[in-house]
Amino acid sequence: MGIVGIGTETYLYVNGISCNREINLRENVILMPAKSELQFDKVSKLIKSDIDYSIAVLSAATLSSQLKITASDTEQLVVSAWNAQWDCLLLGALFNCEVMCNLQSDKSISELESASYINITNYAFHALLSQNYTISESDEEWIEKYYESAMRLITTNDIYRMAVHAMSSYRWHSMPRVQLAILWSGIESLFNVSTEVSFRVSLYIAHFLSRHNEQEASKLFERVKKLYNLRSSAVHGNKMKDDVFSSVEESALLLNRLIVRCAEIASLPDVENLIFNV
């Protein structure tokens, strides 16, 4: 990936998630709608090579929003724009969708004819063909309450950062068995379990997500335990009787719930206190 910085303002063009109005994610980072399309006849002079032009064409077809990043000087702008790529990963993890920025410019999409550059930030073609997720009003309310808490965990806690990356990147691999391994690396990391892993992880998750509902916690315990056993079969190459694709989907939903819950309490699970009789 490559990020450039000129001046005190830059834009990352985003694939995979859209919004109906501007959303302040955190200080100096705003998620904005993409209300117009790239006009290549006007901006082709800004594309450096045929390869970059091809990537821009592919990315432009599914552009759905943009991140506006501002800073006090150019040096800080580069740092802020680089860190804003985590906003894409976090949004993908929070809303269980694939989000990526592949293009960068010093102007918004609607003002590209006056831009001084278009930069390719990502050559891996992520989030170009995934289904777009539209942020709802309830999603906006959640972002307003908890997004900064989630970002604070990313910047201060390597375990949460790993879980978010696992959630936002598992789709990058084409094999469902490997996708399960990636998802469960994120799930397990949140609970730091080294013995009786299947039992303890299931117990902790049940308590963490459903501690006020004993019946729901009991059901969740049994389901997580089964999912973990399916994960073990997938990782060790054993035959899998259950549909591996549905196991991937359910594991992703589970990790998503855990990431969201951590953001809401501004903390990782307190394993020492996760004792629950199921």
Side-chain angles (χ1 to χ4, degrees), residues 5 17 25 27 47 53 64-65 81 84 87 162 170 204 243 245-246:
I17 196 166
L25 296 181
E27 186 177 7
I47 306 294
Y53 187 84
S64 49
S65 59
D87 289 283
M162 176 180 174
Y170 79 93
Y204 294 158
D243 180 6
F245 293 100
S246 63

Side-chain angles (χ1 to χ4, degrees), residues 216-244:
E216 180 182 324
S218 181
K219 290 180 180 179
L220 185 57
F221 170 81
E222 294 298 335
R223 188 55 198 159
V224 173
K225 191 174 181 181
K226 183 176 181 180
L227 274 177
Y228 185 86
N229 291 336
L230 290 170
R231 164 263 178 211
S232 297
S233 296
V235 169
H236 297 297
N238 300 332
K239 282 189 174 182
M240 299 184 66
K241 296 180 180 180
D242 293 67
D243 180 6
V244 64

Side-chain angles (χ1 to χ4, degrees), residues 243-255:
D243 180 6
V244 64
F245 293 100
S246 63
S247 299
V248 169
E249 183 177 354
E250 192 169 354
S251 297
L253 290 172
L254 178 62
L255 179 53

Side-chain angles (χ1 to χ4, degrees), residues 140-201:
E140 287 186 35
E141 292 174 1
W142 191 97
I143 289 172
E144 184 177 354
K145 289 181 180 179
Y146 303 115
Y147 188 85
E148 287 193 6
S149 171
M151 184 55 70
R152 195 176 304 115
L153 283 173
I154 282 181
T155 57
T156 60
N157 195 296
D158 183 61
I159 292 174
Y160 190 77
R161 188 159 56 244
M162 176 180 174
V164 166
H165 199 280
M167 181 68 213
S168 60
S169 66
Y170 79 93
R171 295 180 181 87
W172 299 355
H173 204 289
S174 59
M175 292 184 63
R177 286 176 179 264
V178 179
Q179 289 178 333
L180 274 177
I182 293 171
L183 287 166
W184 277 92
S185 69
I187 294 171
E188 291 180 65
S189 69
L190 292 171
F191 298 93
N192 191 29
V193 177
S194 58
T195 60
E196 300 179 296
V197 179
S198 175
F199 175 79
R200 289 180 181 272
V201 167

Side-chain angles (χ1 to χ4, degrees), residues 6-30:
I6 298 175
T8 58
E9 182 176 291
T10 193
Y11 293 81
L12 298 180
Y13 300 163
V14 179
N15 299 81
I17 196 166
S18 63
C19 56
N20 296 316
R21 50 183 167 268
E22 291 187 7
I23 301 173
N24 292 312
L25 296 181
R26 53 193 177 88
E27 186 177 7
N28 300 329
V29 179
I30 301 173

Side-chain angles (χ1 to χ4, degrees), residues 12 23 25 37 45 48 54 56 62 67-68 97 104 131-133 140 168 195 211 225 230 235 251-252 263:
L12 298 180
I23 301 173
L25 296 181
E37 298 180 353
K45 64 181 183 296
K48 301 175 183 178
S54 299
T62 56
L67 287 174
K68 178 182 179 181
C97 58
Q104 177 193 12
Q131 184 175 0
N132 183 65
Y133 181 88
E140 287 186 35
S168 60
T195 60
R211 64 186 307 163
K225 191 174 181 181
L230 290 170
V235 169
S251 297

